[in-house]
Amino acid sequence: MTTPSPILSVRHLTTRFRTDRGIVTAIDDVSFDLYPGETLGIVGESGCGKTVTSKSIMRLLPERTTIIDPSSQIMFEGTNLATADDRTMRRIRGDRIAMIFQEPMTSLNPVFTIGWQLDEALKYHTDLGRAARRSRAIEMLKLVEIPNAERRVDEYPHQLSGGMRQRVMIAMALCCEPDVLIADEPTTALDVTIQAQILALMENLRKRLNTAIILITHNLGVVAQVCDRVAVMYAGRVIEVGGVRRIFHDPQHPYTRALLDSIPKAGRKEHGKRLPTIEGIVPSLFDLPKGCRFADRCARCQPLCRDTEPELLPAEGVGESHLKRCHFPLSQAAPVTSASHAAMTSSPGARP
Amino acid sequence: MIAAFKRLKASRGVGKFCRNRLAVAALGIIVLYALVGGWVALGDLLPGRAGITYAQVEQPVWPTPINGFGIPATNERRVEAARIITREVKRAVNNGEGFTDIRYGLLHILPGTADSDTELDRLSTLIEESEDLYDQLSEFDDLNSPEPPTLDDGAPDPDSIDVPSTIARLEGAVRQMFAPLSGWQSLKQSLLHSLGTDRQGRSNFLRVIFSIKVALQVGIVVAIISVLVGTFLGAAAAYFGGWVDHAVVWLYSTLSSMPELILLAVLVYAFSGSVFDKVSNPWLALVPVYAAMCMEFWIGPCRVIRGETLKLKELEYVQAATAIGFGRFYILLKHVIPNTVHLMFINFSLLFIAAIKFEVVLSFLGLGVKVGPSWGRMIQESTQEVINGIFWQIGAATVFMFVLVLAFNIVSDALQDAFDPKHVG
Amino acid sequence: MWSYVARRLLYSIPVYLGIILIMMGALRLRDPVSAYLGKNATAETALLKKASMGLDRPFLPIGIEDPAEPFGIEPIVEVGRVGFYPPLRTQYVEFLWRILRFDFGTAERPYRSWQFESDNVGAKLADAVWPTLKITIPALVLTATIAILVGLLSAAYRGSVLDKTLMVLVVLGMSISVVVFIVLGQVFGSSWLNGKLGFELFASNGYEPGIQNWVKYCALPVIIGVVVGMGYDARFYRAVMVEETSRDYITTAVAKGAPRHKIIFVHMLKNAMIPVITRIMITIPFLITGSIVMEYQFRIPGMGKLLIDAIVNKDFPIIQTFTAVLAGLFILTNILTDVLYALVDPRVRLA
C-alpha cells in the first residue's frame, strides 16, 4: 500500500520573538506531517507552543516582533509557507488553509452581520456573484446545523450563543472548501455538551469535504475521540508523534506517559487513590536547560539527559510512523532511578 | 497607605518604568526643576540669604534692555545705559548719599568707607571721563551705523573718533565706577544677564527661574487637591453606590457641561473685586485660580477611580474583607484606595501638566497670576517685544515651560505604559 | 432604543436644572448690580437697576424677605417669615421660562445687555455666533481629518520610524502653550509673511464679515487651532487603532485572507469609529464657545470674546444667558452622541 504524501509538511520550524527582555525561542525545530483527510492532534500544556506553531503555519504572528528561522520549512502544495510573501499567504489563507480560534465570543467582528462576514471570505476567494454568495452562505450555515439559517444570516454576532458562534466560525472557515483546517482549541471555551456537538460536527464535515484537520488541544480525551494521529509538545518542542491508538497504548516518552496517567479515571479500583501528578514546573523559555527539557521532572533522568538534548527519532522496531525525543524511551529497560522521583514509578500502569 | 506605597515600589510596573531610560531622564529633569523651584521658594522664608524674592525679581539689572547670551546691544542702547549710570552716580556723589540705591544686579557702588574721599575722587574722575566720551559720541546722529566723518573732499577724517572703541572706553569707565566683583559674583552677574532683559530691564533669567516656582506651586496644589478629592469621591461613589453615586455623577456631569475656560471665567467674575484681589501675599492671591482649576480638574480622576473601584468592588478580597466584618470605610481606605494608587499617580502627572498650561493661558489673559512673574505673564508682556524682533523673553519662558511640560508628558506616558494594563503605547 | 433616548432626556432635565441653579447662584454671590455700577452706585441707582432687571425679585419661589432689601413683588401667601411667591415672577423660574421659549429679548419684551443698552442679549448672541463658527468648524474638520490619518498611519506602521517621528512631533506640539503659537503666529504668520509675500495674506487681527475675507481673518487662527489641538486627538486615535489591531476578530479576518487595506479601512475603522465619533461629538458644543484666547487675541467678535468682554465689564445678562445656552447645547449634544453611537454600534441598538 502506497503511503500518500503529506499535504502539509513541517520541518525544523523555529519561531522566535523579540521581547523587551531579549529574544526568546518559542518553538524549536518542530517537525510533523499532515496527511490528507486525517485529523492530527497537537497536544500539550499551556505555553508549550501549540498556538505559536499553528499561527506560524498561517503566518498570523505580528510581523515586527516575530522571527521565523529561515531554515524552517512549511511545505504546502510545493510552496514554503515560512518564506512565502504576503500575497501568496493571502491567497492561501481562508481558501486552502483555514483556521478557527479558541474564543468564539471575540473572534467575530461585532459590527458586521454574519452573512457579511461569510460573504467576505467568499468574495476574496471565489468568483461567485452576490446572490450566489448569499445562498452559499446560507448553505454553509445549514451545514453547520444552525437552525433558521435564512434569518440568522442577517443577524449580528452578539445575538448568538457561544456554541452557535463557533459553528459560524467553522462555516466561515470551510466555506471555500480548504484542504487544511487548523482548529486552535475550538471547544475549550464551550461547555461540555456543546463541546461534544462541535466535535461531532467537525468530524462530519471532515468526512464530507475531505479536509485535513490540525486540532490543537490540551484535552487528551478530545484527542482520543477524534484524532487519527497526535503530536505531543513540551516546552516548545515536539517530543512524540504517532498514531493515537499506539501512543495511548504504548507511549514512549515519559512525559506522554505521565500525561496519560494524570487523567482521572472512574471505577472502584481507582477509588481512594491519589491522582498522579507531574512534579516540578515547565522551564522558563528564557532559561532553558542544556539537555533534555523534561530532565528535571523525569523519573528516568540520567546524566546523559541533562547533558545532551535527544533528537526526534523513530521508536524501536516501529519506523517513521512513531517518533520520540528521548534517550531512554519507555520501551527500553528502565535506567537506575533517582530516589527523589521514586513516586513516579509507583503510579499504576507504569512500565519499567 | 505606607504598605501600599511599598507594594507599589516593588511591583512590576516600577521595574518597567525604570527600564525606560528616557522616562527616568525626564523624571530627573522634573526633580531638577523641583529643586530649583524649592530653592527659589526659600526666598520667602530666608530673604536675602537664599532663594529669590519678588523684590529681587522686579529690580532692573541694567538701565536699558540687553540681549541674552552676551550678544551686545545696539550702540545707541549701550551709550544710553552708560549715560544713565553716569548721571545716577554723579547725583549720588553730589548729594553725598544715595549710593546704595544704585544697584544693577550684583553691581553696586561702594558706600562711603574710611577711604571715602579717595573713593569719591575716583568716582569723580570717572564721571568726567565718561561725560567727555559721551559728548564725543553725541556728535553722531546715528550711533548704530555711524558714517565715518569725512573731510570736505570726501576722504575720511583722520582726527575723528572711532565709534566702537570709544564706546568700549565709555563702558570701561562706567564699569570701573562699580565695586569690583569677585569671580563668583561676576559669574552670578553674567548669569543674570544671560537671557537678556525685558523692556524694563528686569532679568529674564531671574524671572523665568522664579516662574518655575509659580508653575510648580500651581501645579502641585491643583493636582494634589484634585487627585485627592477626585479619588475620594470617585471611590466612595462606586463603593457605596446608591444615592452617593447618583449625587457624585450628577455633580460631575453638571460641572463638565461647561467648558473649563468659561467656568473659570465665571468664577473669576464671581471672585473679582473680592478680598483676594487686594491681597499681596502671592500664596493667597492665587486662591481663586486654584479654586477654579480644582473645580474642573477633580472630575478626571473621579471618573477613572470610580471605574476602577467598580471593578475592584467585585473582586474577592473585598468581599472577603466584608465577610470578615470590617467596616465599609475601613475597607475603602485600606483595601480599595491603595489599589488605585497607580492611577492616582498617572492622573497627578496629567493634571500637573494641565494646570501649568492653564495657568499660562489665564495669566496671559490677565486672569491668573497678577503679581509677579509667571510664564504666562512673560509671554503676554513679550508681545510688544516680539513685534520688534526681540525674542528673549518669550524664548526663555517658552523653552523653560516646554522642557518641563515635555518631561511631564514623557513621564506620564511611561507611567501609563508601566502601570495601566489597558494603556496602548 | 427610543425609550433609551427618552430616559436620557428625562434624566438630563434635573442635570440641566441643577446647572442653571448653580450658575445663577454663583453669579449672584456678589451683587451683580453693585459690581456693574462700581463705585458710582448710589442707593437709588442700584435699586432702579435692580428693579429693571428683575433682580429685586426673590430667587426661588420660597424665600425669606430681608426687610432692608424688600422684594419687588408681593407673596401669594406668607407663613411666618417665609413667603411663597408666584413662581413665574421669581428669578430662577422666570429665567428657566425664558430658556424654554428661547426668548432672550425681542422688541416687545426686551432683555437688554448692560454694556450695549440698545441691544437685546439674544441679538448680540446671534451676531456673535457666526464669526465663531467660521473658525471652529473648519478647525474641527481639519483637526479630525488630520488626526485620524496620523493615528491610522501610526498604528498601521506601529514602531516604525514614521510612527516615532509622528508621535514626537505631536508631543512637541502639545508641550508648547497655545499662547506662544498665537503670539508667534501673529508675528510670523502675518507681519513677516506678508512682508515676504508682498501682500497681506493673513491679518494679524481683526475681522470683517463675508466669505471672501475668510482667508485673511480666519485662516491663521484655524491653522493655529489645528496645530495645537491635533496632538491630543492624534494620540488618542492612534491608541484606539492600535487596540483594534490586537483584537481577535482582526486575526480572524487576516486568517480569511483579507488584504491589508481592507483590514485597516473596513474592519478596524468601523470598530474604531465608535470612540472616534464619541470624541468628535464631545467637542461639538465647544464649537459654539470658540476659543476664548484665540478670539481675544485676534480680536474676532465671536462668542468667546463676547463672553470675556461681558465678564470684564460685568455684563450680567449676557453672562447668564451665555452659560445657560451653552449648558443646554452641551446636554443635547451628549444625547445626540448616544444616538449616533447606537446607530454605529449594533450592540447598543438592541440593548
Side-chain angles (χ1 to χ4, degrees):
Chain A
M1 179 175 83
T2 49
T3 35
S5 53
I7 188 167
L8 179 72
S9 175
V10 178
R11 292 272 178 276
H12 313 298
L13 176 59
T14 305
T15 303
R16 299 193 175 85
F17 292 122
R18 277 188 250 264
T19 71
D20 56 354
R21 285 200 284 163
I23 297 188
V24 62
T25 306
I27 52 175
D28 202 349
D29 199 30
V30 167
S31 305
F32 59 84
D33 289 329
L34 178 69
Y35 294 95
E38 73 160 354
T39 305
L40 170 72
I42 300 186
V43 78
E45 47 191 303
S46 307
C48 70
K50 323 189 285 286
T51 304
V52 174
T53 307
S54 61
K55 283 194 171 171
S56 297
I57 296 174
M58 289 281 274
R59 298 271 297 282
L60 288 176
L61 295 164
E63 261 181 50
R64 220 172 29 99
T65 46
T66 311
I67 312 165
I68 299 185
D69 194 282
S71 64
S72 311
Q73 276 192 329
I74 310 174
M75 302 309 295
F76 177 74
E77 289 180 353
T79 322
N80 183 357
L81 299 182
T83 54
D85 67 358
D86 211 31
R87 267 186 77 190
T88 318
M89 287 312 302
R90 265 186 283 135
R91 245 189 324 110
I92 292 180
R93 289 187 198 125
D95 193 34
R96 314 254 45 80
I97 308 182
M99 188 160 173
I100 60 177
F101 303 94
Q102 182 175 342
E103 287 288 345
M105 305 303 266
T106 52
S107 295
L108 290 171
N109 197 323
V111 298
F112 295 118
T113 62
I114 303 176
W116 188 95
Q117 301 192 46
L118 279 163
D119 184 83
E120 193 190 13
L122 292 166
K123 225 182 349 175
Y124 293 142
H125 300 297
T126 67
D127 286 325
L128 299 174
R130 210 153 69 140
R133 292 201 298 263
R134 185 179 166 85
S135 62
R136 176 130 182 86
I138 298 180
E139 192 190 312
M140 288 306 301
L141 289 181
K142 287 189 180 150
L143 198 65
V144 295
E145 294 166 22
I146 289 187
N148 261 314
E150 292 88 354
R151 195 164 55 89
R152 294 288 196 180
V153 80
D154 289 324
E155 284 186 350
Y156 287 93
H158 64 274
Q159 295 170 274
L160 275 66
S161 69
M164 293 232 264
R165 282 190 229 190
Q166 198 62 298
R167 290 175 197 267
V168 169
M169 286 288 293
I170 296 174
M172 239 168 42
L174 296 177
C175 65
C176 300
E177 302 199 2
D179 299 316
V180 177
L181 171 69
I182 305 180
D184 190 347
E185 308 221 36
T187 54
T188 309
L190 305 168
D191 48 68
V192 185
T193 46
I194 312 283
Q195 180 171 308
Q197 292 174 12
I198 298 287
L199 287 175
L201 176 67
M202 284 172 63
E203 259 300 283
N204 262 332
L205 293 176
R206 180 181 67 106
K207 290 201 188 107
R208 266 174 82 151
L209 305 171
N210 202 34
T211 310
I213 300 183
I214 299 181
L215 180 64
I216 298 173
T217 178
H218 58 264
N219 187 336
L220 287 168
V222 168
V223 170
Q225 211 178 316
V226 293
C227 296
D228 300 313
R229 293 169 60 239
V230 65
V232 183
M233 287 187 72
Y234 181 79
R237 282 203 183 274
V238 172
I239 51 125
E240 191 158 3
V241 189
V244 163
R245 277 249 156 79
R246 178 181 297 282
I247 289 198
F248 270 61
H249 228 85
D250 199 9
Q252 290 298 297
H253 197 286
Y255 176 64
T256 317
R257 172 88 261 173
L259 273 184
L260 289 166
D261 284 340
S262 62
I263 299 175
K265 297 174 190 57
R268 279 189 61 227
K269 269 203 301 175
E270 308 296 328
H271 192 66
K273 290 203 188 130
R274 277 193 135 212
L275 186 68
T277 56
I278 312 177
E279 288 184 10
I281 52 169
V282 183
S284 157
L285 289 176
F286 288 98
D287 198 16
L288 289 166
K290 192 169 59 142
C292 172
R293 298 182 184 188
F294 188 62
D296 268 345
R297 312 167 74 184
C298 185
R300 298 157 70 85
C301 173
Q302 296 297 302
L304 174 64
C305 299
R306 290 196 197 277
D307 192 57
T308 329
E309 207 174 351
E311 304 254 321
L312 192 63
L313 297 169
E316 301 248 320
V318 178
E320 288 283 327
S321 64
H322 188 164
L323 306 172
K324 86 261 177 280
R325 193 187 288 273
C326 183
H327 290 303
F328 303 99
L330 294 173
S331 61
Q332 295 177 0
V336 176
T337 58
S338 53
S340 60
H341 290 291
M344 284 278 296
T345 50
S346 67
S347 62
R351 291 260 211 111
Chain B
M1 283 298 273
I2 313 248
F5 276 110
K6 283 211 190 118
R7 244 182 294 145
L8 188 73
K9 208 167 72 125
S11 74
R12 221 170 26 156
V14 174
K16 190 164 176 203
F17 182 87
C18 293
R19 278 197 293 264
N20 185 343
R21 280 173 300 182
L22 185 63
V24 174
L27 195 61
I29 293 186
I30 294 176
V31 168
L32 196 64
Y33 268 79
L35 288 173
V36 171
W39 179 80
V40 170
L42 287 178
D44 283 336
L45 301 166
L46 309 162
R49 288 218 299 265
I52 306 177
T53 63
Y54 273 115
Q56 287 171 311
V57 168
E58 298 295 315
Q59 186 207 38
V61 292
W62 202 246
T64 56
I66 54 178
N67 294 321
F69 298 154
I71 300 174
T74 60
N75 289 344
E76 222 169 283
R77 283 257 168 83
R78 292 161 73 181
V79 172
E80 178 71 18
R83 188 175 78 86
I84 294 176
I85 297 176
T86 309
R87 203 180 45 189
E88 286 183 355
V89 177
K90 183 174 181 182
R91 194 171 352 142
V93 166
N94 288 342
N95 290 344
E97 58 165 11
F99 290 101
T100 46
D101 293 334
I102 308 177
R103 290 195 75 96
Y104 291 107
L106 288 159
L107 292 171
H108 61 277
I109 311 289
L110 275 180
T113 62
D115 295 317
S116 57
D117 278 344
T118 346
E119 184 62 22
L120 285 176
D121 282 340
R122 188 183 77 94
L123 285 174
S124 301
T125 325
L126 286 169
I127 294 174
E128 262 185 55
E129 185 185 343
S130 154
E131 287 184 324
D132 195 34
L133 289 169
Y134 180 74
D135 286 334
Q136 288 182 25
L137 286 166
S138 54
E139 304 244 318
F140 291 87
D141 289 325
D142 180 9
L143 282 168
N144 288 332
S145 49
E147 311 220 330
T150 54
L151 294 172
D152 294 322
D153 62 359
D157 183 351
D159 291 329
S160 70
I161 60 168
D162 171 47
V163 170
S165 60
T166 313
I167 295 184
R169 277 170 48 206
L170 176 61
E171 288 183 326
V174 166
R175 206 175 13 243
Q176 286 181 56
M177 293 184 202
F178 291 109
L181 295 176
S182 70
W184 178 235
Q185 286 177 319
S186 68
L187 190 71
K188 284 210 273 191
Q189 180 71 2
S190 46
L191 208 59
L192 286 178
H193 286 202
S194 58
L195 292 174
T197 66
D198 65 0
R199 276 173 302 157
Q200 293 168 275
R202 298 177 294 185
S203 163
N204 284 339
F205 178 78
L206 218 55
R207 300 181 79 219
V208 91
I209 296 288
F210 191 87
S211 306
I212 293 182
K213 167 183 109 86
V214 175
L216 287 178
Q217 191 177 314
V218 173
I220 290 179
V221 169
V222 169
I224 285 189
I225 294 182
S226 305
V227 167
L228 286 179
V229 169
T231 300
F232 191 69
L233 283 179
Y239 187 69
F240 293 117
W243 67 266
V244 178
D245 194 30
H246 282 305
V248 170
V249 172
W250 174 85
L251 189 59
Y252 71 57
S253 308
T254 308
L255 281 175
S256 61
S257 68
M258 305 240 287
E260 284 140 14
L261 206 50
I262 302 218
L263 181 64
L264 253 54
V266 169
L267 281 165
V268 165
Y269 167 80
F271 275 113
S272 68
S274 70
V275 64
F276 290 109
D277 256 6
K278 306 186 183 66
V279 161
S280 57
N281 180 337
W283 293 84
L284 282 184
L286 283 177
V287 168
V289 174
Y290 297 150
M293 283 201 225
C294 289
M295 249 186 254
E296 271 292 330
F297 285 6
W298 69 271
I299 298 175
C302 182
R303 280 200 161 119
V304 167
I305 303 285
R306 178 173 173 271
E308 184 76 6
T309 308
L310 281 174
K311 207 181 60 170
L312 288 174
K313 202 168 72 147
E314 304 306 322
L315 292 181
E316 273 110 14
Y317 69 89
V318 172
Q319 296 181 357
T322 321
I324 294 179
F326 289 138
R328 299 215 287 179
F329 255 111
Y330 180 80
I331 296 181
L332 189 66
L333 276 172
K334 264 210 96 159
H335 287 279
V336 175
I337 290 188
N339 280 294
T340 58
V341 162
H342 65 285
L343 290 175
M344 286 167 73
F345 270 108
I346 294 173
N347 272 287
F348 176 85
S349 65
L350 288 174
L351 286 182
F352 195 96
I353 301 173
I356 294 183
K357 294 180 79 173
F358 236 92
E359 180 272 315
V360 168
V361 173
L362 277 182
S363 301
F364 184 80
L365 290 174
L367 296 172
V369 174
K370 297 192 175 91
V371 178
S374 84
W375 288 325
R377 282 196 80 196
M378 285 177 78
I379 296 177
Q380 195 262 330
E381 285 173 16
S382 73
T383 44
Q384 268 303 107
E385 296 172 7
V386 170
I387 292 178
N388 292 324
I390 299 175
F391 296 102
W392 297 106
Q393 197 175 183
I394 196 174
T398 306
V399 166
F400 273 78
M401 177 198 158
F402 168 76
V403 169
L404 184 62
V405 171
L406 184 66
F408 253 103
N409 267 322
I410 294 177
V411 166
S412 2
D413 267 358
L415 277 177
Q416 284 180 303
D417 240 350
F419 287 102
D420 189 354
K422 287 176 292 177
H423 179 69
V424 172
Chain C
M1 174 177 86
W2 297 113
S3 68
Y4 173 70
V5 175
R7 257 186 303 129
R8 288 278 278 118
L9 272 167
L10 229 57
Y11 186 77
S12 309
I13 294 179
V15 175
Y16 190 62
L17 290 178
I19 295 174
I20 302 294
L21 187 67
I22 292 181
M23 184 264 296
M24 288 177 81
L27 286 175
R28 286 165 176 71
L29 277 178
R30 273 175 23 82
D31 182 26
V33 173
S34 50
Y36 179 70
L37 294 175
K39 298 196 184 74
N40 303 323
T42 61
E44 292 108 46
T45 41
L47 275 172
L48 274 175
K49 190 87 191 166
K50 271 197 182 160
S52 77
M53 275 304 305
L55 284 170
D56 56 340
R57 297 202 227 115
F59 186 58
L60 292 168
I62 301 179
I64 299 179
E65 189 168 5
D66 179 1
E69 288 196 13
F71 292 136
I73 58 172
E74 293 304 311
I76 306 176
V77 65
E78 260 185 278
V79 178
R81 288 194 53 200
V82 176
F84 294 87
Y85 297 88
L88 263 185
R89 305 202 62 208
T90 59
Q91 297 188 38
Y92 182 57
V93 179
E94 199 222 348
F95 190 64
L96 284 176
W97 184 231
R98 268 196 188 284
I99 297 176
L100 222 62
R101 288 173 303 147
F102 216 73
D103 166 20
F104 296 108
T106 59
E108 310 85 47
R109 302 160 57 99
Y111 187 62
R112 301 239 186 265
S113 138
W114 285 2
Q115 290 174 275
F116 314 102
E117 298 257 318
S118 55
D119 292 324
N120 281 315
V121 171
K124 285 235 71 75
L125 280 177
D127 281 341
V129 168
W130 190 228
T132 296
L133 289 180
K134 276 165 81 165
I135 295 184
T136 52
I137 293 185
L140 175 71
V141 169
L142 269 176
T143 310
T145 318
I146 299 181
I148 291 181
L149 265 173
V150 168
L152 256 178
L153 280 175
S154 275
Y157 296 102
R158 182 182 178 194
S160 69
V161 175
L162 176 68
D163 177 25
K164 295 203 167 112
T165 315
L166 283 173
M167 286 302 114
V168 163
L169 283 175
V170 149
V171 170
L172 287 185
M174 270 166 56
S175 303
I176 300 182
S177 175
V178 61
V179 298
V180 174
F181 282 116
I182 292 179
V183 171
L184 292 178
Q186 282 181 311
V187 168
F188 286 111
S190 65
S191 317
W192 180 83
L193 189 66
N194 295 337
K196 289 273 172 194
L197 289 173
F199 67 94
E200 192 182 22
L201 177 64
F202 299 129
S204 71
N205 55 44
Y207 178 79
E208 275 165 34
I211 206 81
Q212 69 277 18
N213 289 318
W214 188 86
V215 174
K216 186 165 167 199
Y217 294 109
C218 302
L220 193 55
V222 167
I223 293 175
I224 294 180
V226 170
V227 167
V228 172
M230 205 191 55
Y232 291 98
D233 285 354
R235 274 156 57 103
F236 176 74
Y237 297 148
R238 178 182 177 276
V240 167
M241 301 294 177
V242 169
E243 200 164 315
E244 280 302 307
T245 51
S246 63
R247 296 257 190 246
D248 284 346
Y249 48 81
I250 297 296
T251 315
T252 308
V254 178
K256 277 201 293 195
R260 198 192 175 110
H261 63 270
K262 275 270 183 342
I263 303 269
I264 297 180
F265 289 105
V266 175
H267 285 268
M268 275 173 52
L269 197 59
K270 189 153 189 223
N271 277 282
M273 266 306 129
I274 302 166
V276 165
I277 286 182
T278 313
R279 191 183 176 92
I280 294 182
M281 292 296 290
I282 287 179
T283 59
I284 289 197
F286 304 109
L287 288 181
I288 299 289
T289 65
S291 167
I292 291 187
V293 193
M294 210 76 82
E295 289 183 9
Y296 186 75
Q297 275 300 103
F298 281 94
R299 289 202 233 297
I300 295 178
M303 298 286 274
K305 182 159 189 298
L306 184 70
L307 183 68
I308 278 286
D309 284 342
I311 289 178
V312 167
N313 294 315
K314 320 251 192 299
D315 188 341
F316 173 78
I318 291 187
I319 301 177
Q320 189 170 261
T321 313
F322 192 98
T323 38
V325 168
L326 182 70
L329 253 175
F330 192 89
I331 291 181
L332 284 175
T333 325
N334 271 349
I335 299 183
L336 189 61
T337 309
D338 285 344
V339 171
L340 255 175
Y341 211 96
L343 285 174
V344 174
D345 187 349
R347 287 170 288 187
V348 175
R349 217 181 291 169
L350 302 159

